[in-house]
Amino acid sequence: MLTILDITHISYYSLFMVEKRYLFSHIQKDLKSKMVFIGGARQVGKTTLALKYLKPSDPKHPAYLNWDISSHQENIIKNQIPLKFKTIVFDEIHKYVKWRNFMKGLYDEHHRTHSFLVTGSARLDFFSKGGDSLLGRYHYYRLHPFSLFEINKNPTRKDLEQLLTFGGFPEPFSKQSKTFSKRWFRERRKRVIQEDIRDLQKIKEISYIDLLIEALPSRVASPLSIRSIKEDLQVSHQSIENWIQILENLYMIFRIPPYGSPQIRAVKKEQKLYFFDWSHILDENIKFENLVASHLLKYCHYHEDINGDDMELRFLRDTDKREVDFVVLKNKKPLFAVECKAGERALSPHLKYFKERTPIPLWFQVHRGKKDYGDEKTTGRVLPFTTFSKDHLKL
């Protein structure tokens, strides 16, 4: 049961995060020169963040136009844009078939006097392809769920357990109710299937997407077998691939490829799959690994979107099934490797094996406990994920 102190702690950080999401100042700066696109999972906080650039910050502000609202949709189609306001926010406009040409024309005519912010629960960089190119007219940001460092600059074990239990999406995290979280997840999944996929893709048997989403949590963190899913759902291999790609484009899931080195017999084609919302995963060890994967992906996307670096999240696995969960690369060069353990276990021998055979300079094994020992440059370091997050994932 939550105490009054717990509720105060949660409310304070929830309010803080709404005001100061980790991308806020970067977006504010870029709005002065180009359009800004914000993509991310449904209900991750894109609209709340976007409204912070309007004064007052209110969804009823005339400069906020949401394609899912019929009156706003009509204004967009008729090009009745409230240009008396210097900043205009467009929400879910990628569902408009002519949105690329619309935004191109609006930007080209008014970019010297106005700022345009576009948000959507899909990969806006993907849906901007085709037709007249918007390239060179926008900066693209990917908004992620809350991470440990975002909710507390000095994260505690309690922060980690709350984030594991309720996930990093603002509403269920702030509610801190398991019942609410389960209902929220089911309703969100339904809206993604019935609204987002319906609006963006032509799929005859959309019910199969629902079955696929139900089948994927048990496959998190393991090599993903399309053949196995194909047999379970009794559909073609290509259909499964297409549907997984759709779920990736809608920020429901993400996949990571393997990292190879000439001195190891690394697997080459296997991929591992994770969810942006890890809260519904039942296995506690897998849930923790998914949380770590999400934090590392957020780190990669941040440095890509802010600094323009080529970032990659991969995993290490050889044909003898030795494995290290994650490797982060920057501009094709490995930065560090991370192994996840739910308990405070001894350093995995796989870290030593791969350390001797790869150019990865830093090695970490993170856990949910307190122990902190070893050295990341020599033997490998065992440390709490709270410490790793504070020292190496400051966003």
Side-chain angles (χ1 to χ4, degrees), residues 259 261-265 316 318 322 324 337 347-363 376-380:
Y259 169 73
S261 174
Q263 291 180 281
I264 62 172
R265 299 192 305 276
L316 261 173
D318 66 13
R322 284 179 287 251
V324 174
L347 194 70
S348 168
H350 296 173
L351 269 70
K352 182 178 184 297
Y353 177 86
F354 286 123
K355 186 180 185 306
E356 295 172 349
R357 293 164 175 80
T358 67
I360 303 171
L362 303 176
W363 297 81
E376 57 265 31
K377 295 180 181 179
T378 56
T379 59

Side-chain angles (χ1 to χ4, degrees), residues 211-259:
L211 294 174
L212 175 61
I213 295 175
E214 288 184 357
L216 290 179
S218 62
R219 292 170 165 86
V220 167
S222 299
L224 182 64
S225 171
I226 301 297
R227 178 182 295 179
S228 173
I229 302 174
K230 169 189 170 183
E231 292 173 355
D232 289 348
L233 270 59
Q234 294 295 299
V235 294
S236 70
H237 185 283
Q238 189 58 52
S239 292
I240 298 295
E241 280 284 3
N242 290 343
W243 297 341
I244 287 177
Q245 184 63 60
I246 289 169
L247 294 178
E248 285 184 310
N249 290 341
L250 292 172
Y251 294 103
M252 284 285 287
I253 60 173
F254 61 93
R255 288 180 286 181
I256 65 173
Y259 169 73

Side-chain angles (χ1 to χ4, degrees), residues 159-171:
D159 293 320
L160 175 57
E161 296 307 313
Q162 289 175 340
L163 203 59
L164 275 167
T165 300
F166 303 108
F169 284 72
E171 192 173 9

Side-chain angles (χ1 to χ4, degrees), residues 113-315:
T113 55
H114 290 73
S115 299
F116 301 102
L117 183 57
V118 179
T119 75
S121 54
R123 279 186 53 192
L124 295 175
D125 57 336
F126 175 83
F127 287 102
S128 68
K129 295 176 182 177
D132 286 344
S133 176
L134 291 170
L135 207 60
R137 293 174 172 86
Y138 70 94
H139 290 297
Y140 184 61
Y141 289 89
R142 288 160 288 190
L143 183 65
H144 279 252
F146 294 153
S147 53
L148 269 176
F149 191 78
E150 193 175 7
I151 64 174
N152 191 346
K153 297 300 182 284
N154 189 26
T156 65
R157 291 177 67 188
K158 186 172 184 178
D159 293 320
L160 175 57
E161 296 307 313
Q162 289 175 340
L163 203 59
L164 275 167
T165 300
F166 303 108
F169 284 72
E171 192 173 9
F173 181 79
S174 63
K175 294 287 186 183
Q176 299 280 301
S177 164
K178 291 183 179 180
T179 299
F180 179 88
S181 294
K182 288 187 290 186
R183 294 177 65 187
W184 178 90
F185 173 76
R186 291 178 63 85
E187 291 166 2
R188 175 174 171 270
R189 184 179 73 181
K190 183 177 179 180
R191 291 189 67 186
V192 168
I193 294 169
Q194 295 186 355
E195 296 179 23
D196 296 337
I197 295 177
R198 179 201 64 199
D199 289 342
L200 296 172
Q201 303 289 336
K202 295 179 180 179
I203 299 177
K204 294 180 180 179
E205 298 294 338
I206 204 165
S207 60
Y208 278 115
I209 298 284
D210 200 12
L211 294 174
L212 175 61
I213 295 175
E214 288 184 357
L216 290 179
S218 62
R219 292 170 165 86
V220 167
S222 299
L224 182 64
S225 171
I226 301 297
R227 178 182 295 179
S228 173
I229 302 174
K230 169 189 170 183
E231 292 173 355
D232 289 348
L233 270 59
Q234 294 295 299
V235 294
S236 70
H237 185 283
Q238 189 58 52
S239 292
I240 298 295
E241 280 284 3
N242 290 343
W243 297 341
I244 287 177
Q245 184 63 60
I246 289 169
L247 294 178
E248 285 184 310
N249 290 341
L250 292 172
Y251 294 103
M252 284 285 287
I253 60 173
F254 61 93
R255 288 180 286 181
I256 65 173
Y259 169 73
S261 174
Q263 291 180 281
I264 62 172
R265 299 192 305 276
V267 296
K268 297 180 179 179
K269 295 184 178 180
E270 291 181 352
Q271 291 184 318
K272 288 167 57 172
L273 176 143
Y274 299 94
F275 278 81
F276 280 92
D277 178 17
W278 56 81
S279 63
H280 62 287
I281 297 172
L282 299 178
D283 185 290
E284 287 296 316
N285 294 341
I286 301 302
K287 182 187 290 189
F288 177 60
E289 182 177 329
N290 196 141
L291 178 146
V292 174
S294 297
H295 278 62
L296 293 173
L297 185 69
K298 182 176 182 177
Y299 173 87
C300 290
H301 284 176
Y302 176 86
H303 285 283
E304 281 191 336
D305 297 345
I306 302 299
N307 302 320
D309 292 314
D310 181 14
M311 304 293 295
E312 297 175 77
L313 179 60
R314 295 177 175 250
F315 69 96

Side-chain angles (χ1 to χ4, degrees), residues 147-150 152-155 292 294-303 307 311 328 330 335-338 361-366 372-377 380-395:
S147 53
L148 269 176
F149 191 78
E150 193 175 7
N152 191 346
K153 297 300 182 284
N154 189 26
V292 174
S294 297
H295 278 62
L296 293 173
L297 185 69
K298 182 176 182 177
Y299 173 87
C300 290
H301 284 176
Y302 176 86
H303 285 283
N307 302 320
M311 304 293 295
V328 171
K330 177 181 178 180
L335 293 181
F336 56 84
V338 179
L362 303 176
W363 297 81
F364 301 95
Q365 181 171 297
V366 299
D372 188 340
Y373 62 91
D375 182 85
E376 57 265 31
K377 295 180 181 179
R381 183 179 172 188
V382 175
L383 75 166
F385 184 64
T386 50
T387 303
F388 178 79
S389 178
K390 180 178 65 174
D391 293 347
H392 301 282
L393 305 177
K394 294 184 178 182
L395 51 92

